[in-house]
Amino acid sequence: MSTATDLEALLRRGLETLGLSLPDAAAERLLAYVALLGKWNRAYNLTAVREPQAMVTRHLLDSLAVLPHLHGATVADVGTGAGLPGLPLALASPERRFVLLDGNAKKCRFLTQAVAELAIPNVTVVRARVEDYRPEQEFDTVICRAFATVAQMLALSGHLCARGGRVLAMKGQHPHAELDELPAGFRLLSVVRLRVPGLDAERHLVIIDRCAGC
């Protein structure tokens, strides 16, 4: 069984490999999030990942690998589930404002509790279906970790992205076939291969621009 010291060492090694420097106390709060997720997971089945060490690699470091690619001051995490990637990114980037969006009541209850216990003032939890959510202002970045296809993500959540903003789709293998046809008003900027410390599986980030002049 991993101790708190083991988990902290794993996280800090991963952050060093990613070249990331976090705000004061962010690492401790990230590990507190892992502990809280493990506690709630026993009753609510929020994630299939059970071991704390695996949560550090597959949840925290996997989420934080996209931090350099965030755009602007506001971020919407669509279909956030247990708060991934939005909650780790919010702890690492306190100058940005995050909305964690999910339609599942139990997951939103967990997120509301996590935001309160971990004192994360730059996060708002919203329970809503993504296609029905109409914020007062569109977001600079819209990110998602688990949509079936890029086209489906854009169809359901593209309206949340401001013109000139970015849509970030976190993927496993390179989604070549999904990129052949994007909806009008969006264009592919790049597909970045992410190197997540301790994770053998492939990770890619699809970066899409919502055209300012479209």
Side-chain angles (χ1 to χ4, degrees), residues 77-145:
D77 178 12
V78 174
T80 187
L84 301 161
L87 198 147
L89 290 172
L91 286 170
S93 187
E95 74 280 5
R96 291 185 168 97
R97 291 182 291 112
F98 289 76
V99 167
L100 307 186
L101 180 64
D102 204 280
N104 184 288
K106 66 181 181 181
K107 291 175 180 176
C108 287
R109 283 197 295 272
F110 165 72
L111 291 173
T112 300
Q113 183 67 26
V115 168
E117 283 197 27
L118 301 177
I120 313 176
N122 59 326
V123 168
T124 300
V125 178
V126 174
R127 181 190 172 193
R129 290 165 56 90
V130 59
E131 60 268 35
D132 297 331
Y133 179 49
R134 294 294 186 274
E136 292 183 5
Q137 190 170 7
E138 297 162 333
F139 296 89
D140 298 317
T141 295
V142 175
I143 190 167
C144 182
R145 194 182 186 213

Short mmCIF file of all heavy atoms in Angstrom, two decimals, residues 77-145:
data_model
loop_
_atom_site.label_atom_id
_atom_site.label_comp_id
_atom_site.label_asym_id
_atom_site.label_seq_id
_atom_site.Cartn_x
_atom_site.Cartn_y
_atom_site.Cartn_z
N ASP A 77 -14.88 22.55 -18.38
CA ASP A 77 -14.57 21.13 -18.46
C ASP A 77 -15.89 20.40 -18.66
O ASP A 77 -16.71 20.29 -17.75
CB ASP A 77 -13.87 20.68 -17.17
CG ASP A 77 -13.56 19.19 -17.17
OD1 ASP A 77 -13.67 18.55 -18.23
OD2 ASP A 77 -13.20 18.68 -16.10
N VAL A 78 -16.08 19.91 -19.87
CA VAL A 78 -17.36 19.33 -20.30
C VAL A 78 -17.38 17.84 -19.98
O VAL A 78 -16.48 17.10 -20.36
CB VAL A 78 -17.57 19.57 -21.80
CG1 VAL A 78 -18.81 18.84 -22.29
CG2 VAL A 78 -17.67 21.06 -22.09
N GLY A 79 -18.43 17.39 -19.30
CA GLY A 79 -18.51 15.99 -18.90
C GLY A 79 -17.41 15.64 -17.92
O GLY A 79 -16.74 14.63 -18.04
N THR A 80 -17.24 16.49 -16.93
CA THR A 80 -16.09 16.41 -16.02
C THR A 80 -16.06 15.16 -15.16
O THR A 80 -15.01 14.74 -14.70
CB THR A 80 -16.06 17.67 -15.13
OG1 THR A 80 -14.87 17.69 -14.35
CG2 THR A 80 -17.28 17.72 -14.21
N GLY A 81 -17.21 14.53 -14.93
CA GLY A 81 -17.24 13.31 -14.12
C GLY A 81 -16.80 13.59 -12.70
O GLY A 81 -17.41 14.36 -11.97
N ALA A 82 -15.69 12.98 -12.30
CA ALA A 82 -15.16 13.17 -10.95
C ALA A 82 -14.26 14.40 -10.85
O ALA A 82 -13.55 14.57 -9.85
CB ALA A 82 -14.37 11.93 -10.52
N GLY A 83 -14.31 15.27 -11.88
CA GLY A 83 -13.54 16.50 -11.86
C GLY A 83 -12.28 16.47 -12.69
O GLY A 83 -11.33 17.21 -12.43
N LEU A 84 -12.29 15.64 -13.72
CA LEU A 84 -11.09 15.45 -14.54
C LEU A 84 -11.33 15.85 -15.98
O LEU A 84 -12.30 15.42 -16.58
CB LEU A 84 -10.66 13.98 -14.47
CG LEU A 84 -10.36 13.50 -13.04
CD1 LEU A 84 -10.39 11.99 -12.96
CD2 LEU A 84 -9.02 14.05 -12.56
N PRO A 85 -10.46 16.69 -16.51
CA PRO A 85 -9.21 17.20 -15.94
C PRO A 85 -9.36 18.50 -15.16
O PRO A 85 -8.38 19.04 -14.66
CB PRO A 85 -8.35 17.44 -17.17
CG PRO A 85 -9.35 17.94 -18.19
CD PRO A 85 -10.60 17.11 -17.94
N GLY A 86 -10.58 19.04 -15.06
CA GLY A 86 -10.76 20.41 -14.61
C GLY A 86 -10.28 20.72 -13.20
O GLY A 86 -9.68 21.76 -12.96
N LEU A 87 -10.53 19.81 -12.25
CA LEU A 87 -10.18 20.14 -10.88
C LEU A 87 -8.66 20.20 -10.67
O LEU A 87 -8.16 21.17 -10.09
CB LEU A 87 -10.85 19.16 -9.91
CG LEU A 87 -10.91 19.62 -8.47
CD1 LEU A 87 -12.17 19.10 -7.80
CD2 LEU A 87 -9.70 19.16 -7.69
N PRO A 88 -7.88 19.21 -11.14
CA PRO A 88 -6.42 19.37 -11.04
C PRO A 88 -5.90 20.61 -11.76
O PRO A 88 -5.01 21.30 -11.27
CB PRO A 88 -5.88 18.08 -11.67
CG PRO A 88 -6.97 17.09 -11.47
CD PRO A 88 -8.23 17.87 -11.63
N LEU A 89 -6.46 20.92 -12.92
CA LEU A 89 -6.02 22.10 -13.66
C LEU A 89 -6.36 23.38 -12.90
O LEU A 89 -5.57 24.33 -12.91
CB LEU A 89 -6.68 22.12 -15.04
CG LEU A 89 -6.19 21.05 -16.02
CD1 LEU A 89 -7.05 21.07 -17.29
CD2 LEU A 89 -4.73 21.25 -16.39
N ALA A 90 -7.49 23.41 -12.22
CA ALA A 90 -7.86 24.60 -11.45
C ALA A 90 -6.91 24.81 -10.28
O ALA A 90 -6.55 25.95 -9.95
CB ALA A 90 -9.30 24.46 -10.95
N LEU A 91 -6.49 23.73 -9.63
CA LEU A 91 -5.53 23.86 -8.54
C LEU A 91 -4.17 24.33 -9.05
O LEU A 91 -3.47 25.07 -8.37
CB LEU A 91 -5.38 22.51 -7.82
CG LEU A 91 -6.55 22.11 -6.92
CD1 LEU A 91 -6.40 20.67 -6.46
CD2 LEU A 91 -6.66 23.04 -5.73
N ALA A 92 -3.82 23.90 -10.26
CA ALA A 92 -2.53 24.28 -10.83
C ALA A 92 -2.55 25.67 -11.47
O ALA A 92 -1.50 26.25 -11.71
CB ALA A 92 -2.11 23.25 -11.88
N SER A 93 -3.74 26.19 -11.74
CA SER A 93 -3.86 27.46 -12.47
C SER A 93 -4.90 28.36 -11.79
O SER A 93 -5.97 28.62 -12.35
CB SER A 93 -4.26 27.17 -13.92
OG SER A 93 -4.24 28.33 -14.71
N PRO A 94 -4.61 28.85 -10.58
CA PRO A 94 -5.62 29.59 -9.81
C PRO A 94 -6.00 30.93 -10.42
O PRO A 94 -7.01 31.52 -10.02
CB PRO A 94 -4.92 29.78 -8.45
CG PRO A 94 -3.47 29.69 -8.74
CD PRO A 94 -3.34 28.69 -9.85
N GLU A 95 -5.24 31.41 -11.38
CA GLU A 95 -5.58 32.69 -12.01
C GLU A 95 -6.71 32.55 -13.03
O GLU A 95 -7.29 33.55 -13.47
CB GLU A 95 -4.34 33.28 -12.69
CG GLU A 95 -3.91 32.60 -13.99
CD GLU A 95 -3.12 31.31 -13.80
OE1 GLU A 95 -2.96 30.86 -12.64
OE2 GLU A 95 -2.64 30.76 -14.81
N ARG A 96 -7.04 31.33 -13.40
CA ARG A 96 -8.13 31.08 -14.35
C ARG A 96 -9.41 30.70 -13.59
O ARG A 96 -9.37 30.19 -12.48
CB ARG A 96 -7.78 29.96 -15.32
CG ARG A 96 -6.68 30.29 -16.31
CD ARG A 96 -6.50 29.15 -17.30
NE ARG A 96 -5.67 29.52 -18.43
CZ ARG A 96 -4.37 29.27 -18.52
NH1 ARG A 96 -3.75 28.61 -17.54
NH2 ARG A 96 -3.67 29.65 -19.58
N ARG A 97 -10.55 30.92 -14.27
CA ARG A 97 -11.84 30.51 -13.71
C ARG A 97 -12.34 29.28 -14.46
O ARG A 97 -12.33 29.25 -15.69
CB ARG A 97 -12.86 31.65 -13.81
CG ARG A 97 -12.53 32.81 -12.88
CD ARG A 97 -13.57 33.91 -12.95
NE ARG A 97 -13.53 34.62 -14.23
CZ ARG A 97 -14.46 34.57 -15.15
NH1 ARG A 97 -15.56 33.83 -14.96
NH2 ARG A 97 -14.34 35.27 -16.26
N PHE A 98 -12.77 28.28 -13.72
CA PHE A 98 -13.19 26.99 -14.29
C PHE A 98 -14.65 26.72 -13.96
O PHE A 98 -15.11 26.95 -12.84
CB PHE A 98 -12.34 25.85 -13.70
CG PHE A 98 -10.92 25.82 -14.18
CD1 PHE A 98 -9.99 26.71 -13.68
CD2 PHE A 98 -10.51 24.89 -15.13
CE1 PHE A 98 -8.67 26.70 -14.11
CE2 PHE A 98 -9.19 24.86 -15.56
CZ PHE A 98 -8.27 25.77 -15.05
N VAL A 99 -15.36 26.18 -14.94
CA VAL A 99 -16.68 25.61 -14.73
C VAL A 99 -16.58 24.11 -15.00
O VAL A 99 -16.12 23.69 -16.07
CB VAL A 99 -17.75 26.24 -15.64
CG1 VAL A 99 -19.03 25.41 -15.63
CG2 VAL A 99 -18.05 27.67 -15.19
N LEU A 100 -16.96 23.30 -14.01
CA LEU A 100 -16.99 21.85 -14.16
C LEU A 100 -18.43 21.44 -14.43
O LEU A 100 -19.30 21.62 -13.58
CB LEU A 100 -16.47 21.16 -12.89
CG LEU A 100 -15.09 21.60 -12.37
CD1 LEU A 100 -14.66 20.73 -11.21
CD2 LEU A 100 -14.05 21.60 -13.47
N LEU A 101 -18.66 20.91 -15.61
CA LEU A 101 -20.02 20.67 -16.10
C LEU A 101 -20.28 19.17 -16.23
O LEU A 101 -19.54 18.45 -16.89
CB LEU A 101 -20.18 21.35 -17.47
CG LEU A 101 -21.52 21.24 -18.17
CD1 LEU A 101 -22.62 21.93 -17.38
CD2 LEU A 101 -21.42 21.84 -19.57
N ASP A 102 -21.37 18.72 -15.59
CA ASP A 102 -21.75 17.31 -15.71
C ASP A 102 -23.24 17.18 -15.39
O ASP A 102 -23.78 17.96 -14.59
CB ASP A 102 -20.95 16.44 -14.75
CG ASP A 102 -20.88 14.99 -15.21
OD1 ASP A 102 -21.86 14.24 -14.98
OD2 ASP A 102 -19.86 14.60 -15.82
N GLY A 103 -23.89 16.21 -16.00
CA GLY A 103 -25.32 16.01 -15.78
C GLY A 103 -25.63 15.00 -14.69
O GLY A 103 -26.81 14.80 -14.35
N ASN A 104 -24.59 14.37 -14.12
CA ASN A 104 -24.79 13.32 -13.13
C ASN A 104 -24.85 13.91 -11.73
O ASN A 104 -23.91 14.57 -11.28
CB ASN A 104 -23.65 12.30 -13.25
CG ASN A 104 -23.83 11.12 -12.33
OD1 ASN A 104 -23.67 11.23 -11.13
ND2 ASN A 104 -24.17 9.96 -12.90
N ALA A 105 -25.94 13.65 -11.03
CA ALA A 105 -26.16 14.27 -9.72
C ALA A 105 -25.13 13.85 -8.69
O ALA A 105 -24.60 14.69 -7.94
CB ALA A 105 -27.57 13.94 -9.22
N LYS A 106 -24.81 12.56 -8.61
CA LYS A 106 -23.87 12.11 -7.57
C LYS A 106 -22.47 12.64 -7.83
O LYS A 106 -21.74 12.98 -6.88
CB LYS A 106 -23.86 10.58 -7.46
CG LYS A 106 -23.32 9.84 -8.66
CD LYS A 106 -23.38 8.33 -8.44
CE LYS A 106 -22.82 7.56 -9.62
NZ LYS A 106 -22.88 6.09 -9.43
N LYS A 107 -22.09 12.76 -9.09
CA LYS A 107 -20.77 13.30 -9.39
C LYS A 107 -20.72 14.79 -9.04
O LYS A 107 -19.71 15.28 -8.52
CB LYS A 107 -20.42 13.05 -10.85
CG LYS A 107 -20.17 11.58 -11.14
CD LYS A 107 -19.94 11.29 -12.61
CE LYS A 107 -19.71 9.79 -12.81
NZ LYS A 107 -19.57 9.42 -14.24
N CYS A 108 -21.78 15.49 -9.29
CA CYS A 108 -21.81 16.91 -8.94
C CYS A 108 -21.83 17.11 -7.43
O CYS A 108 -21.24 18.08 -6.92
CB CYS A 108 -23.02 17.59 -9.59
SG CYS A 108 -22.82 17.84 -11.38
N ARG A 109 -22.45 16.21 -6.69
CA ARG A 109 -22.40 16.29 -5.23
C ARG A 109 -20.97 16.11 -4.74
O ARG A 109 -20.52 16.83 -3.84
CB ARG A 109 -23.32 15.23 -4.60
CG ARG A 109 -24.79 15.57 -4.63
CD ARG A 109 -25.59 14.72 -3.66
NE ARG A 109 -25.57 13.31 -4.01
CZ ARG A 109 -26.45 12.74 -4.84
NH1 ARG A 109 -27.40 13.46 -5.41
NH2 ARG A 109 -26.37 11.45 -5.10
N PHE A 110 -20.28 15.14 -5.31
CA PHE A 110 -18.88 14.94 -4.94
C PHE A 110 -18.06 16.19 -5.27
O PHE A 110 -17.25 16.64 -4.44
CB PHE A 110 -18.30 13.74 -5.67
CG PHE A 110 -16.79 13.69 -5.62
CD1 PHE A 110 -16.12 13.39 -4.44
CD2 PHE A 110 -16.04 14.00 -6.75
CE1 PHE A 110 -14.73 13.38 -4.39
CE2 PHE A 110 -14.66 13.99 -6.70
CZ PHE A 110 -14.00 13.68 -5.51
N LEU A 111 -18.24 16.73 -6.45
CA LEU A 111 -17.46 17.89 -6.87
C LEU A 111 -17.72 19.09 -5.96
O LEU A 111 -16.79 19.82 -5.58
CB LEU A 111 -17.77 18.25 -8.31
CG LEU A 111 -17.28 17.25 -9.36
CD1 LEU A 111 -17.81 17.64 -10.74
CD2 LEU A 111 -15.76 17.19 -9.38
N THR A 112 -18.97 19.31 -5.62
CA THR A 112 -19.32 20.42 -4.73
C THR A 112 -18.64 20.26 -3.38
O THR A 112 -18.11 21.22 -2.81
CB THR A 112 -20.85 20.50 -4.56
OG1 THR A 112 -21.45 20.71 -5.85
CG2 THR A 112 -21.23 21.63 -3.63
N GLN A 113 -18.62 19.02 -2.86
CA GLN A 113 -17.95 18.75 -1.60
C GLN A 113 -16.44 18.95 -1.72
O GLN A 113 -15.80 19.53 -0.84
CB GLN A 113 -18.25 17.32 -1.14
CG GLN A 113 -17.66 16.95 0.22
CD GLN A 113 -18.28 17.74 1.36
OE1 GLN A 113 -19.43 18.19 1.25
NE2 GLN A 113 -17.56 17.90 2.44
N ALA A 114 -15.86 18.48 -2.83
CA ALA A 114 -14.41 18.60 -3.04
C ALA A 114 -14.01 20.07 -3.13
O ALA A 114 -13.00 20.49 -2.53
CB ALA A 114 -13.99 17.85 -4.30
N VAL A 115 -14.77 20.86 -3.85
CA VAL A 115 -14.46 22.29 -3.99
C VAL A 115 -14.51 22.98 -2.63
O VAL A 115 -13.67 23.83 -2.31
CB VAL A 115 -15.42 22.95 -4.99
CG1 VAL A 115 -15.33 24.47 -4.93
CG2 VAL A 115 -15.13 22.45 -6.41
N ALA A 116 -15.49 22.59 -1.80
CA ALA A 116 -15.62 23.19 -0.47
C ALA A 116 -14.48 22.74 0.45
O ALA A 116 -13.83 23.57 1.10
CB ALA A 116 -16.96 22.83 0.13
N GLU A 117 -14.22 21.44 0.51
CA GLU A 117 -13.21 20.91 1.43
C GLU A 117 -11.81 21.38 1.05
O GLU A 117 -10.98 21.65 1.93
CB GLU A 117 -13.25 19.39 1.45
CG GLU A 117 -14.38 18.80 2.27
CD GLU A 117 -14.16 17.35 2.61
OE1 GLU A 117 -12.98 16.91 2.69
OE2 GLU A 117 -15.16 16.64 2.79
N LEU A 118 -11.53 21.46 -0.24
CA LEU A 118 -10.19 21.82 -0.70
C LEU A 118 -10.03 23.32 -0.89
O LEU A 118 -8.95 23.78 -1.23
CB LEU A 118 -9.87 21.09 -2.01
CG LEU A 118 -9.92 19.56 -1.95
CD1 LEU A 118 -9.67 18.97 -3.32
CD2 LEU A 118 -8.91 19.03 -0.94
N ALA A 119 -11.12 24.06 -0.67
CA ALA A 119 -11.09 25.53 -0.77
C ALA A 119 -10.53 25.97 -2.13
O ALA A 119 -9.45 26.53 -2.22
CB ALA A 119 -10.29 26.13 0.37
N ILE A 120 -11.32 25.70 -3.16
CA ILE A 120 -10.90 26.04 -4.54
C ILE A 120 -11.83 27.15 -5.04
O ILE A 120 -12.89 26.88 -5.60
CB ILE A 120 -10.97 24.82 -5.47
CG1 ILE A 120 -10.33 23.59 -4.81
CG2 ILE A 120 -10.26 25.11 -6.80
CD1 ILE A 120 -10.44 22.33 -5.62
N PRO A 121 -11.48 28.41 -4.85
CA PRO A 121 -12.40 29.50 -5.15
C PRO A 121 -12.61 29.77 -6.64
O PRO A 121 -13.57 30.44 -6.99
CB PRO A 121 -11.73 30.71 -4.48
CG PRO A 121 -10.28 30.38 -4.47
CD PRO A 121 -10.21 28.89 -4.27
N ASN A 122 -11.74 29.23 -7.49
CA ASN A 122 -11.85 29.52 -8.93
C ASN A 122 -12.62 28.44 -9.69
O ASN A 122 -12.53 28.34 -10.91
CB ASN A 122 -10.46 29.70 -9.56
CG ASN A 122 -9.55 28.48 -9.41
OD1 ASN A 122 -9.62 27.78 -8.39
ND2 ASN A 122 -8.71 28.23 -10.40
N VAL A 123 -13.40 27.62 -8.97
CA VAL A 123 -14.18 26.55 -9.58
C VAL A 123 -15.67 26.72 -9.27
O VAL A 123 -16.05 26.96 -8.12
CB VAL A 123 -13.72 25.16 -9.11
CG1 VAL A 123 -14.72 24.08 -9.52
CG2 VAL A 123 -12.35 24.84 -9.68
N THR A 124 -16.49 26.58 -10.31
CA THR A 124 -17.94 26.52 -10.16
C THR A 124 -18.41 25.18 -10.72
O THR A 124 -18.02 24.80 -11.82
CB THR A 124 -18.64 27.66 -10.92
OG1 THR A 124 -18.17 28.91 -10.42
CG2 THR A 124 -20.15 27.59 -10.77
N VAL A 125 -19.23 24.48 -9.97
CA VAL A 125 -19.80 23.20 -10.41
C VAL A 125 -21.20 23.45 -10.96
O VAL A 125 -22.02 24.10 -10.30
CB VAL A 125 -19.86 22.19 -9.25
CG1 VAL A 125 -20.50 20.88 -9.71
CG2 VAL A 125 -18.46 21.94 -8.69
N VAL A 126 -21.45 22.96 -12.16
CA VAL A 126 -22.76 23.13 -12.79
C VAL A 126 -23.30 21.76 -13.19
O VAL A 126 -22.64 21.00 -13.92
CB VAL A 126 -22.67 24.02 -14.05
CG1 VAL A 126 -24.02 24.07 -14.77
CG2 VAL A 126 -22.22 25.43 -13.67
N ARG A 127 -24.49 21.44 -12.68
CA ARG A 127 -25.16 20.21 -13.11
C ARG A 127 -26.09 20.55 -14.26
O ARG A 127 -27.10 21.25 -14.09
CB ARG A 127 -25.95 19.59 -11.95
CG ARG A 127 -26.63 18.29 -12.36
CD ARG A 127 -27.60 17.79 -11.30
NE ARG A 127 -28.36 16.67 -11.81
CZ ARG A 127 -29.45 16.18 -11.23
NH1 ARG A 127 -29.89 16.72 -10.09
NH2 ARG A 127 -30.10 15.16 -11.77
N ALA A 128 -25.75 20.06 -15.45
CA ALA A 128 -26.57 20.31 -16.64
C ALA A 128 -26.08 19.42 -17.77
O ALA A 128 -24.92 18.99 -17.78
CB ALA A 128 -26.47 21.78 -17.07
N ARG A 129 -26.97 19.13 -18.68
CA ARG A 129 -26.55 18.49 -19.93
C ARG A 129 -25.82 19.53 -20.76
O ARG A 129 -26.26 20.68 -20.86
CB ARG A 129 -27.78 17.97 -20.69
CG ARG A 129 -28.47 16.78 -20.02
CD ARG A 129 -29.85 16.56 -20.61
NE ARG A 129 -29.82 16.38 -22.05
CZ ARG A 129 -29.68 15.20 -22.66
NH1 ARG A 129 -29.55 14.10 -21.93
NH2 ARG A 129 -29.68 15.11 -23.96
N VAL A 130 -24.72 19.13 -21.35
CA VAL A 130 -23.88 20.10 -22.04
C VAL A 130 -24.63 20.82 -23.15
O VAL A 130 -24.48 22.04 -23.33
CB VAL A 130 -22.59 19.43 -22.58
CG1 VAL A 130 -22.91 18.29 -23.54
CG2 VAL A 130 -21.70 20.46 -23.25
N GLU A 131 -25.48 20.09 -23.87
CA GLU A 131 -26.18 20.71 -24.99
C GLU A 131 -27.24 21.71 -24.53
O GLU A 131 -27.68 22.57 -25.30
CB GLU A 131 -26.82 19.64 -25.89
CG GLU A 131 -27.83 18.74 -25.20
CD GLU A 131 -27.23 17.48 -24.64
OE1 GLU A 131 -26.06 17.52 -24.17
OE2 GLU A 131 -27.92 16.44 -24.66
N ASP A 132 -27.64 21.61 -23.25
CA ASP A 132 -28.65 22.53 -22.72
C ASP A 132 -28.05 23.71 -21.98
O ASP A 132 -28.76 24.68 -21.66
CB ASP A 132 -29.58 21.78 -21.75
CG ASP A 132 -30.35 20.67 -22.44
OD1 ASP A 132 -30.60 20.80 -23.65
OD2 ASP A 132 -30.68 19.67 -21.77
N TYR A 133 -26.78 23.66 -21.67
CA TYR A 133 -26.14 24.69 -20.86
C TYR A 133 -25.88 25.94 -21.69
O TYR A 133 -25.24 25.88 -22.74
CB TYR A 133 -24.83 24.14 -20.28
CG TYR A 133 -24.07 25.12 -19.43
CD1 TYR A 133 -24.67 25.83 -18.40
CD2 TYR A 133 -22.70 25.31 -19.63
CE1 TYR A 133 -23.95 26.72 -17.61
CE2 TYR A 133 -21.97 26.18 -18.84
CZ TYR A 133 -22.60 26.89 -17.84
OH TYR A 133 -21.88 27.76 -17.07
N ARG A 134 -26.37 27.06 -21.21
CA ARG A 134 -26.21 28.34 -21.91
C ARG A 134 -25.64 29.37 -20.93
O ARG A 134 -26.37 30.06 -20.23
CB ARG A 134 -27.55 28.83 -22.48
CG ARG A 134 -28.12 27.96 -23.59
CD ARG A 134 -27.24 28.00 -24.84
NE ARG A 134 -27.81 27.28 -25.98
CZ ARG A 134 -27.67 25.99 -26.20
NH1 ARG A 134 -26.98 25.26 -25.34
NH2 ARG A 134 -28.19 25.43 -27.27
N PRO A 135 -24.32 29.47 -20.85
CA PRO A 135 -23.71 30.41 -19.91
C PRO A 135 -23.90 31.85 -20.38
O PRO A 135 -24.16 32.10 -21.56
CB PRO A 135 -22.24 30.02 -19.93
CG PRO A 135 -22.04 29.45 -21.30
CD PRO A 135 -23.32 28.74 -21.64
N GLU A 136 -23.76 32.78 -19.47
CA GLU A 136 -23.87 34.19 -19.83
C GLU A 136 -22.75 34.60 -20.78
O GLU A 136 -22.93 35.47 -21.63
CB GLU A 136 -23.83 35.07 -18.57
CG GLU A 136 -25.05 34.92 -17.68
CD GLU A 136 -25.01 35.86 -16.49
OE1 GLU A 136 -24.07 36.69 -16.42
OE2 GLU A 136 -25.91 35.77 -15.65
N GLN A 137 -21.58 33.97 -20.62
CA GLN A 137 -20.43 34.31 -21.46
C GLN A 137 -19.75 33.03 -21.90
O GLN A 137 -19.62 32.08 -21.12
CB GLN A 137 -19.45 35.20 -20.69
CG GLN A 137 -18.34 35.79 -21.55
CD GLN A 137 -17.55 36.84 -20.78
OE1 GLN A 137 -17.72 37.03 -19.59
NE2 GLN A 137 -16.68 37.54 -21.49
N GLU A 138 -19.33 32.99 -23.17
CA GLU A 138 -18.63 31.81 -23.68
C GLU A 138 -17.24 31.72 -23.08
O GLU A 138 -16.71 32.68 -22.52
CB GLU A 138 -18.56 31.88 -25.21
CG GLU A 138 -19.93 31.85 -25.87
CD GLU A 138 -19.90 32.35 -27.30
OE1 GLU A 138 -19.01 33.18 -27.61
OE2 GLU A 138 -20.76 31.94 -28.10
N PHE A 139 -16.61 30.54 -23.23
CA PHE A 139 -15.34 30.26 -22.57
C PHE A 139 -14.17 30.36 -23.55
O PHE A 139 -14.30 30.07 -24.74
CB PHE A 139 -15.38 28.85 -21.97
CG PHE A 139 -16.39 28.69 -20.88
CD1 PHE A 139 -17.69 28.30 -21.18
CD2 PHE A 139 -16.06 28.95 -19.56
CE1 PHE A 139 -18.64 28.16 -20.18
CE2 PHE A 139 -17.01 28.81 -18.55
CZ PHE A 139 -18.30 28.42 -18.86
N ASP A 140 -13.01 30.73 -23.00
CA ASP A 140 -11.80 30.80 -23.81
C ASP A 140 -11.31 29.40 -24.19
O ASP A 140 -10.77 29.19 -25.28
CB ASP A 140 -10.69 31.53 -23.06
CG ASP A 140 -11.06 32.97 -22.74
OD1 ASP A 140 -11.63 33.64 -23.62
OD2 ASP A 140 -10.80 33.41 -21.61
N THR A 141 -11.46 28.46 -23.26
CA THR A 141 -11.09 27.06 -23.52
C THR A 141 -12.24 26.16 -23.12
O THR A 141 -12.81 26.31 -22.04
CB THR A 141 -9.83 26.66 -22.72
OG1 THR A 141 -8.70 27.40 -23.16
CG2 THR A 141 -9.53 25.17 -22.90
N VAL A 142 -12.56 25.21 -24.00
CA VAL A 142 -13.50 24.13 -23.67
C VAL A 142 -12.71 22.84 -23.78
O VAL A 142 -12.11 22.56 -24.82
CB VAL A 142 -14.71 24.11 -24.63
CG1 VAL A 142 -15.60 22.91 -24.34
CG2 VAL A 142 -15.50 25.40 -24.51
N ILE A 143 -12.69 22.06 -22.70
CA ILE A 143 -11.89 20.85 -22.68
C ILE A 143 -12.74 19.65 -22.29
O ILE A 143 -13.70 19.77 -21.54
CB ILE A 143 -10.69 21.00 -21.71
CG1 ILE A 143 -9.71 19.84 -21.86
CG2 ILE A 143 -11.15 21.15 -20.26
CD1 ILE A 143 -8.38 20.09 -21.18
N CYS A 144 -12.38 18.50 -22.84
CA CYS A 144 -13.11 17.28 -22.51
C CYS A 144 -12.15 16.10 -22.59
O CYS A 144 -11.31 16.03 -23.48
CB CYS A 144 -14.27 17.07 -23.46
SG CYS A 144 -15.22 15.61 -23.03
N ARG A 145 -12.34 15.18 -21.68
CA ARG A 145 -11.46 14.02 -21.58
C ARG A 145 -12.09 12.75 -22.12
O ARG A 145 -11.38 11.79 -22.40
CB ARG A 145 -11.09 13.82 -20.10
CG ARG A 145 -9.93 12.88 -19.83
CD ARG A 145 -9.74 12.77 -18.34
NE ARG A 145 -8.56 11.99 -18.00
CZ ARG A 145 -8.47 11.24 -16.93
NH1 ARG A 145 -9.47 11.14 -16.09
NH2 ARG A 145 -7.36 10.57 -16.66
#
